[in-house]
């Protein structure tokens, strides 16, 4: 198998290095035969090539079995016309990685930000190729404009094709979990756009009679996530809502740094941590690599399912188990979890658990 590795900005190189080390350990144990190819993105690419993402890197990613995408400092990039390309958006649209899968769950041995006694185990299925994002809702040009210095306009695109396929992925996932899907929308205000999204979700729901289906206004869903998160299994949402709700859910469950994430299409999958680049701790061996490591495990499990590679599925499960064992021990936690070990030592602990598994 061939993996493309894109370290990125801030703590990206450190946590991606941890994920690669863990993947190598899984490779040794399960015989995955992974070859890693590295390319620059972000500020490293901007300095060398005048753009945060070269088109040949993006298009060349199609030749790989999987992608490891590091964190990016998008807010600090120059304007797109000056080379500051939105890397995540480019991968999602350019490679049609339309399903951003973001789990969030509490762990009994770690504190959460929920009320006492509350638990969470859900997945947000976020459509990632359209919506309110100005770099992915026009065939040409940009989805935001300023007719005058005192007026700004943003355009949102919602299509039947994209809405139906993300809904179908959500129901397929729910069949493997708690058999419940909640469609998130604001159709009481956005009658046409969110109305179309909800219509598509209801249509797909009819194909899955075993799955309980309901819908919820996005503003109400934030309250329910805080007050009664146990009611949720799989939430399906358009791009903007899914982005916000997944951050809320992950932080409520304990931390943005504790959940994996993948961007998946029909033929290709990319592992990407849920959190940002955290330049304030860059190069200090303080970053928690859990999210990136679990994202790599999710990538292996995606390959196991879609390519029918049993060894990948087993390796992904082994990484998940090793991370849980590492987090369960207060002595092998990073500073954000009130622990005392660094990024490299955490990775080494995960690898030790992989190697010790029977």
């Amino acid at each position: 198998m061939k993996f493309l590795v894109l370290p990125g900005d801030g703590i990206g190189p450190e946590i991606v290095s941890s994920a690669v080390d863990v993947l190598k350990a899984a490779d040794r144990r399960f015989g995955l035969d992974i070859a890693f190819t590295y390319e620059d993105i972000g500020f490293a690419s901007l300095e060398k090539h005048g753009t945060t993402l070269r088109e040949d890197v993006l298009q060349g990613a199609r030749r790989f079995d999987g992608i490891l995408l590091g964190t990016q400092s998008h807010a600090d990039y120059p304007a797109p016309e000056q080379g500051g390309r939105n890397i995540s958006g480019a991968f999602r649209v350019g490679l049609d990685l339309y399903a951003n899968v973001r789990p969030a769950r509490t762990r009994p041995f770690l504190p959460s930000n929920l009320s006492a006694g509350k638990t969470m185990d859900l997945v947000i299925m976020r459509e990632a190729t359209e919506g309110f994002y100005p770099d992915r809702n026009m065939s040409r040009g940009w989805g935001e404009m300023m007719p005058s210095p005192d007026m700004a306009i943003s355009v949102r695109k919602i299509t039947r094709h994209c809405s139906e396929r993300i809904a179908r992925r959500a129901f397929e996932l729910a069949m493997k979990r708690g058999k419940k899907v909640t469609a998130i929308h604001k159709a009481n205000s956005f009658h046409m756009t969110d109305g179309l999204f909800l219509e598509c979700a209801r249509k797909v729901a009819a194909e899955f009679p075993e799955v309980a289906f309901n819908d919820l206004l996005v503003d109400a869903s934030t309250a329910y996530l805080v007050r009664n998160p146990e009611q949720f299994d799989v939430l399906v949402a358009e791009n903007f809502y899914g982005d916000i709700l997944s951050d809320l859910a992950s932080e409520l469950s304990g931390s943005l740094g504790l959940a994996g994430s993948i961007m998946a299409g029909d033929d290709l999958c990319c592992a990407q941590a849920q959190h940002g680049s955290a330049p304030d701790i860059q190069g200090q061996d303080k970053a928690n690599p859990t999210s990136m490591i679990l994202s790599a495990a999710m990538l292996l499990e995606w390959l196991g399912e879609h390519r029918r590679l049993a060894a990948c599925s087993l390796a992904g499960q082994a990484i998940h188990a090793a991370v849980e064992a590492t987090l369960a021990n207060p002595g092998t936690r990073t500073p954000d979890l009130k622990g005392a070990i660094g990024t490299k030592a955490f990775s080494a602990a995960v690898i030790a658990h992989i190697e010790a598994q029977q």
Side-chain angles (χ1 to χ4, degrees):
M1 287 193 301
K2 298 186 299 180
F3 281 7
L4 176 61
V5 183
L6 307 167
D9 305 313
I11 61 172
E14 298 165 74
I15 63 172
V16 167
S17 177
S18 291
V20 169
D21 288 344
V22 170
L23 284 171
K24 288 179 178 178
D27 191 350
R28 292 191 295 270
R29 172 131 190 258
F30 294 96
L32 306 178
D33 193 23
I34 303 175
F36 298 94
T37 298
Y38 289 76
E39 292 283 0
D40 288 324
I41 58 166
F43 282 118
S45 177
L46 185 66
E47 182 178 351
K48 294 178 183 177
H49 307 287
T51 177
T52 54
L53 176 63
R54 305 190 327 264
E55 188 63 23
D56 63 294
V57 171
L58 175 61
Q59 298 305 326
R62 301 177 188 276
R63 302 192 300 269
F64 290 84
D65 298 291
I67 305 163
L68 299 176
L69 181 58
T71 55
Q72 302 124 53
S73 297
H74 285 144
D76 299 321
Y77 290 168
E81 58 270 20
Q82 296 173 339
R85 195 173 183 184
N86 183 320
I87 300 165
S88 293
F91 269 86
R92 289 163 180 167
V93 175
L95 303 181
D96 202 24
L97 303 178
Y98 61 87
N100 189 195
V101 187
R102 292 186 164 186
R105 63 183 179 87
T106 53
R107 294 169 169 89
F109 47 79
L110 288 177
S112 76
N113 293 308
L114 292 167
S115 300
K118 294 292 183 181
T119 61
M120 174 186 290
D121 184 358
L122 58 85
V123 178
I124 293 176
M125 186 69 73
R126 169 193 174 197
E127 203 292 319
T129 61
E130 54 182 24
F132 258 130
Y133 292 76
D135 62 341
R136 63 200 82 170
N137 59 18
M138 306 284 281
S139 63
R140 296 180 65 183
W142 192 251
E144 284 193 320
M145 61 213 79
M146 292 189 71
S148 76
D150 301 313
M151 178 187 296
I153 299 173
S154 186
V155 177
R156 179 170 70 154
K157 177 183 71 177
I158 300 292
T159 64
R160 187 177 302 277
H161 168 67
C162 291
S163 298
E164 285 190 2
R165 68 178 179 177
I166 195 65
R168 192 161 283 109
R169 298 295 88 78
F171 277 90
E172 290 169 353
L173 179 60
M175 287 291 292
K176 305 169 190 173
R177 290 176 45 91
K179 294 187 176 180
K180 182 177 181 180
V181 170
T182 303
I184 305 300
H185 64 94
K186 188 68 175 173
N188 60 336
S189 297
F190 294 99
H191 302 292
M192 295 183 186
T193 47
D194 277 14
L196 177 59
F197 180 84
L198 182 56
E199 174 190 331
C200 293
R202 287 170 173 165
K203 176 185 175 182
V204 175
E207 303 173 17
F208 294 84
E210 308 97 323
V211 177
F213 172 71
N214 71 318
D215 64 89
L216 194 60
L217 295 174
V218 63
D219 45 337
S221 70
T222 62
Y224 284 117
L225 275 170
V226 173
R227 188 169 60 199
N228 187 22
E230 296 95 336
Q231 71 176 286
F232 295 114
D233 179 29
V234 177
L235 295 83
V236 60
E238 61 86 40
N239 206 345
F240 191 56
Y241 303 152
D243 193 6
I244 295 171
L245 288 179
S246 59
D247 276 17
L248 173 61
S250 292
E251 191 62 25
L252 286 172
S253 70
S255 168
L256 274 172
L258 293 174
S261 173
I262 56 171
M263 303 186 301
D266 292 331
D267 303 305
L268 186 61
C269 184
C270 173
Q272 181 183 28
Q274 285 201 29
H275 55 75
S277 61
D280 57 315
I281 58 170
Q282 175 183 353
Q284 300 176 40
D285 194 41
K286 292 181 178 179
N288 181 349
T290 295
S291 183
M292 192 68 227
I293 292 172
L294 291 180
S295 299
M298 291 175 67
L299 168 59
L300 289 178
E301 291 172 335
W302 186 93
L303 285 167
E305 179 181 356
H306 288 77
R307 304 279 180 86
R308 297 184 179 181
L309 299 172
C312 284
S313 297
L314 291 172
Q317 294 164 13
I319 293 173
H320 275 288
V323 169
E324 292 301 299
T326 303
L327 291 173
N329 180 359
T332 51
R333 294 177 187 165
T334 46
D336 59 309
L337 301 176
K338 303 188 185 307
I341 70 170
T343 310
K344 295 177 182 178
F346 183 91
S347 308
V350 173
I351 290 169
H353 282 294
I354 292 173
E355 293 173 342
Q357 290 173 10
Q358 299 298 320

